[in-house]
Amino acid sequence: MKLFAVLSALVLVLFAASLLIGPAGFGAGDSLRALFGGQGEAVTLVMREIRLPRALLAVMVGVSLGLSGAALQGYLRNPLAEPGLIGVSGSAALGAVIALQTGMAAAFALALPLAALSGALIAVFLILALAGPRGGSLTLILAGIAISALAGALTSLTLNLSPNPFAVSEIVFWMMGSLADRSFSHVWLALPFMAVGWFLLLRLGRGLDALTLGEDAAAALGIRLDRLRLTMVLGVASSVGAATAVAGAIGFVGLVVPHLLRPFVGARPGALLWASALGGAAMVLTADIAVRLVLPDRDLQLGVLMAIVGAPLFLHLIYKTRRQL
Amino acid sequence: MIAAAGLWLAAASGHADTVPQRVVSMNLCTDQLAMMLAGPGQLISVSDLAADPDTSPMYEAARAYPANHGGAEEIYLLRPDLVVAGTFSDPTVVAMLRRLGIRVEQLGLVQSLDQVPDRIAQMGTILGREEQADAEIAAFRDDLATLSAPPDGPRAAFYYPNGYTLGTGTLSHDILTTAGYRHIAGELGRSTSGRLALELLVLADPEVVITSSPYPAASRSEALMDHPAFAAVTGARGAFLSSNDWICGTPLVLNALRDLVAARE
């Protein structure tokens, strides 16, 4: 409970900071007055249509990625499982890019999250089929590399074939992710899919806790493993798909956050789920504030910061688990 | 065939003072000047961009010429005695063509309207078509004088995909201010081009926003123009779309100027 209070407070503080920090430096008082009371002035427009959706999306994307990382790690009982590293985010980005470049997304708005979800779904199924139920580290990472490489190449190919001259320069967005200049249309597009994903993943707690005792023991405790697996797959695909469709593939959130919070929840994967959801939100909010402070005019991609933080941790985890490899 | 080969050898040996007979242009802007000024049969190829209606105001005229894609190999095989390029054309291609003994002339970027006559004159000299160039320059000066408007027009901003805005030292800035608009780059203290955050555009609240016409298919860069905050700035009238006349410093920029002056009324 104490952890819950601390994480919630952290998310609230960072959310407020995200609303108050921006290139147009007006004071906190003006900002809040404009956000809650103002009518039609420029400051109100900035607060309500530019900063508020951006901060909300940071929270939503963070919750989705943190939760998915914790669920994958709990199910596979492997601390290296993360949607970005095993190719789920990359495949979701491929789905999103195909929906955008074929014009499907323009004709039917929901085609964008649906295509990203389908991409994510295919990747999760492939990973589970290749890595097996125990999720051995070596097969997991190798399968992840292969799926990421293929999805990345096909994303580049699709964007290279686009008649739009800007599309090629956006390869970096789809591989690294950014929340710059997103609007409420993206919030409403992603939220239903994310909400379904969160609902499915947060229900996994009891099953994942039981699974720490082994599959036979979990089955003896009344856990239906096939249902657990299906719920996990659909939950991850739905939340990561929707997050990637609007923000690009942001890696390492689902790796770093569960790793940092695991000691605080007594290594119980069930409790780690909601803790990672809040922790993910805090982490993406922090990264999104940092990209605006470090290089305000350059649209630095979120994934760059996340990889700088996450990749050394990934190396550390590989080092620790290398006996299994 | 033998005659053609002989001509090629003569040209390759490089007489800068002789009038070139086989001219290849490899830059969108030199394409337009060359098409305006070249004599019959003198220009043998223009860049592929010249025939693209999205970027080239002379796309119809350009279809009469074989297109090149700016590669050293294909340009060399066209056996030109002169290649005209921009100063920012691929330097490896330009260097390779020169190493192969082909004369390459590079024309600089136009950053203001008063540089347009210089470029016309330069192209006229290169092609040995000084008379045609002088006529174009005289017509350009006359038209420019009639189109200049008093500087009391609306406050305007350039806002292109990715939030790219133009500074004061650009041809577009000169077109805008000659049409009498007040460019917000001055107020914001931005002399250079670069990214302008959407929220800064919203706060600057210009009366007119100039952006480019969208290209086919989707891009995140252009999706910025669908942002509700951008729509709120452009208002009911919408953004002013800059046409392909704005891109190059040729006499065709007068069409851009004409459109802007007309939009003031």
Side-chain angles (χ1 to χ4, degrees):
Chain A
M1 265 304 100
K2 205 176 143 202
L3 180 65
F4 182 80
V6 170
L7 286 174
S8 304
L10 184 65
V11 170
L12 277 177
V13 169
L14 288 166
F15 185 79
S18 178
L19 283 175
L20 296 177
I21 293 169
F26 31 74
D30 281 350
S31 307
L32 295 177
R33 260 193 303 281
L35 183 62
F36 295 110
Q39 297 284 327
E41 319 153 41
V43 182
T44 308
L45 197 61
V46 168
M47 293 305 297
R48 289 187 181 167
E49 298 292 345
I50 298 176
R51 293 199 192 167
L52 184 59
R54 182 170 186 161
L56 285 174
L57 275 174
V59 171
M60 288 158 55
V61 168
V63 167
S64 300
L65 296 176
L67 200 50
S68 300
L72 278 167
Q73 292 175 18
Y75 179 79
L76 292 166
R77 281 152 287 163
N78 187 327
L80 301 178
E82 195 267 333
L85 292 171
I86 62 175
V88 178
S89 302
S91 305
L94 174 62
V97 164
I98 290 174
L100 283 170
Q101 294 301 329
T102 53
M104 275 195 294
F108 168 58
L110 288 178
L112 176 66
L114 283 174
L117 190 154
S118 314
L121 203 58
I122 292 169
V124 189
F125 270 123
L126 271 177
I127 283 288
L128 291 187
L130 288 164
R134 283 280 318 167
S137 291
L138 191 62
T139 36
L140 186 69
I141 292 170
L142 290 180
I145 290 172
I147 294 173
S148 296
L150 183 63
L154 292 178
T155 303
S156 300
L157 176 67
T158 311
L159 291 170
N160 269 300
L161 290 174
S162 169
N164 192 300
F166 295 105
V168 172
S169 63
E170 286 162 14
I171 293 173
V172 61
F173 163 74
W174 289 108
M175 295 194 176
M176 287 293 181
S178 163
L179 289 169
D181 301 323
R182 304 276 86 179
S183 68
F184 265 110
S185 59
H186 301 102
V187 173
W188 301 132
L189 201 57
L191 190 58
F193 292 91
M194 288 181 173
V196 169
W198 301 342
F199 174 73
L200 291 175
L201 293 176
L202 284 170
R203 282 173 22 142
L204 292 174
R206 206 174 75 86
L208 294 182
D209 282 344
L211 206 55
T212 54
L213 306 169
E215 273 146 47
D216 295 339
L221 285 169
I223 303 297
R224 290 183 51 192
L225 289 174
D226 51 345
R227 273 207 23 209
L228 180 78
R229 175 180 156 124
L230 187 67
T231 311
M232 195 274 298
V233 168
L234 290 177
V236 167
S238 191
S239 25
V240 174
T244 309
V246 295
I250 303 168
F252 293 107
V253 178
L255 182 83
V256 175
V257 172
H259 176 76
L260 290 178
L261 295 176
R262 194 168 282 119
F264 296 104
V265 294
R268 283 177 302 128
L272 189 58
L273 286 174
W274 61 258
S276 296
L278 289 172
M283 178 132 254
V284 173
L285 278 167
T286 309
D288 191 46
I289 291 170
V291 295
R292 278 179 278 172
L293 291 176
V294 178
L295 287 173
D297 293 334
R298 294 295 173 89
D299 192 17
L300 178 63
Q301 310 285 297
L302 278 178
V304 175
L305 279 188
M306 288 313 307
I308 290 172
V309 176
L313 176 72
F314 186 49
L315 289 174
H316 166 74
L317 288 174
I318 291 180
Y319 183 74
K320 260 179 55 181
T321 56
R322 74 191 190 284
R323 261 172 241 280
Q324 293 175 39
L325 287 172
Chain B
M1 186 66 211
I2 293 165
L7 190 68
W8 178 31
L9 286 175
S13 63
H15 298 286
D17 47 342
T18 55
V19 173
Q21 300 302 321
R22 294 180 61 80
V23 179
V24 171
S25 167
M26 55 181 280
N27 167 283
L28 175 68
C29 298
T30 56
D31 290 341
Q32 294 171 22
L33 289 173
M35 284 190 278
M36 282 173 201
L37 297 177
Q42 192 181 18
L43 182 63
I44 59 165
S45 171
V46 293
S47 79
D48 53 343
L49 277 180
D52 177 0
D54 288 329
T55 52
S56 170
M58 294 180 71
Y59 65 95
E60 275 169 348
R63 287 183 183 149
Y65 299 90
N68 70 74
H69 305 81
E73 182 176 320
E74 64 169 328
I75 291 176
Y76 183 73
L77 291 175
L78 290 168
R79 297 175 301 160
D81 53 6
L82 170 69
V83 172
V84 279
T87 40
F88 293 104
S89 292
D90 188 343
T92 52
V93 173
V94 170
M96 181 172 288
L97 290 172
R98 287 197 172 128
R99 207 159 55 237
L100 293 169
I102 293 171
R103 177 180 160 213
V104 182
E105 294 286 349
Q106 288 176 283
L107 264 65
L109 212 61
V110 173
Q111 285 166 316
S112 63
L113 286 169
D114 58 19
Q115 289 174 353
V116 173
D118 303 346
R119 290 297 170 279
I120 303 172
Q122 240 177 315
M123 184 60 87
T125 313
I126 292 169
L127 296 179
R129 305 275 292 172
E130 287 86 353
E131 261 175 58
Q132 286 75 10
D134 289 343
E136 286 280 1
I137 291 169
F140 176 80
R141 291 218 160 106
D142 287 351
D143 290 350
L144 183 59
T146 60
L147 282 170
S148 300
D152 55 0
R155 292 169 61 248
F158 292 104
Y159 208 64
Y160 290 115
N162 279 324
Y164 194 80
T165 189
L166 300 173
T168 47
T170 56
L171 177 63
S172 293
H173 168 85
D174 206 18
I175 298 173
L176 187 70
T177 48
T178 305
Y181 290 69
R182 289 169 292 153
H183 188 190
I184 65 155
E187 289 170 36
L188 297 176
R190 296 174 70 104
S191 56
T192 52
S193 304
R195 217 177 108 86
L196 178 71
L198 181 58
E199 57 180 73
L200 293 178
L201 179 79
V202 170
L203 291 179
D205 197 22
E207 292 159 81
V208 176
V209 181
I210 299 164
T211 188
S212 53
S213 329
Y215 284 94
S219 75
R220 188 177 177 274
S221 312
E222 290 175 340
L224 183 55
M225 276 71 216
D226 299 328
H227 198 291
F230 183 77
V233 176
T234 57
R237 205 151 59 132
F240 180 92
L241 296 181
S242 67
S243 66
N244 48 24
D245 292 318
W246 287 71
I247 300 172
C248 289
T250 72
L252 295 170
V253 291
L254 293 173
N255 293 335
L257 195 54
R258 219 166 267 132
D259 291 345
L260 265 187
V261 173
R264 272 185 68 169
E265 269 116 51

